[in-house]
Amino acid sequence: MDFNALFKVGKTLVNEYIVKSEDTADFIGNKGVTTLSTPSMIRFIEDTANHIVVDNMPQNYRSVGTKINVEHINPTSINMKVTVKATLVAIEGRKLSYTVEAFNEKCKIGFGIYEQHIINLGNFLKIEERRVGKECP
């Protein structure tokens, strides 16, 4: 399947999120750090990138995150808005690569590279079923 025909390199999407208490480092166990956690920033990044391709994804195919290299450089408080910008920069077979940036209302809070791979959902789930209780190769 030619994914270059389905998706457009250079396509950018910007999404906005509001930081909630469950998005904080405190919520996941780093007590007292009541600012946006890095895992939550990554979740916002993954969500934004995924929405670039989801509408053109063939039936029974999905994109799954496989690699992320981001820096979380500034804190963001509860109730602040986070704006995430993701741009699809490369399609190599089933691999999709994005540049990503995140901003709060005052400054840049993160940036980096995010990669996804396109999977056939049925095949993926069958592989997982066969591996239940077994070690990974």
Side-chain angles (χ1 to χ4, degrees), residues 12-19 36 41 44-45 48 71-77 80-87 99-112:
T12 296
L13 183 64
V14 176
N15 278 343
E16 294 180 346
Y17 307 85
I18 300 297
V19 177
L36 179 68
M41 183 184 76
F44 296 162
I45 287 168
T48 302
E71 292 188 42
H72 190 175
I73 58 174
N74 283 301
T76 303
S77 299
M80 284 187 81
K81 179 172 60 176
V82 172
T83 303
V84 175
K85 177 182 176 184
T87 302
T99 58
V100 294
E101 295 178 291
F103 303 85
N104 65 25
E105 298 162 21
K106 298 177 182 178
C107 62
K108 182 184 278 192
I109 62 168
F111 63 94

Side-chain angles (χ1 to χ4, degrees), residues 15-106:
N15 278 343
E16 294 180 346
Y17 307 85
I18 300 297
V19 177
K20 300 174 185 168
S21 61
E22 58 266 27
D23 300 321
T24 66
D26 180 81
F27 185 83
I28 61 172
N30 195 351
K31 296 303 177 195
V33 183
T34 56
T35 59
L36 179 68
S37 70
T38 301
S40 290
M41 183 184 76
I42 290 169
R43 181 171 43 88
F44 296 162
I45 287 168
E46 288 187 305
D47 180 64
T48 302
N50 191 54
H51 278 88
I52 290 176
V53 297
V54 70
D55 289 340
N56 291 337
M57 193 65 63
Q59 186 174 355
N60 297 319
Y61 284 80
R62 301 292 185 274
S63 57
V64 294
T66 53
K67 184 177 180 180
I68 190 157
N69 183 5
V70 295
E71 292 188 42
H72 190 175
I73 58 174
N74 283 301
T76 303
S77 299
I78 294 172
N79 295 323
M80 284 187 81
K81 179 172 60 176
V82 172
T83 303
V84 175
K85 177 182 176 184
T87 302
L88 180 61
V89 294
I91 302 168
E92 301 170 37
R94 292 178 177 258
K95 183 172 84 170
L96 308 174
S97 299
Y98 304 83
T99 58
V100 294
E101 295 178 291
F103 303 85
N104 65 25
E105 298 162 21
K106 298 177 182 178

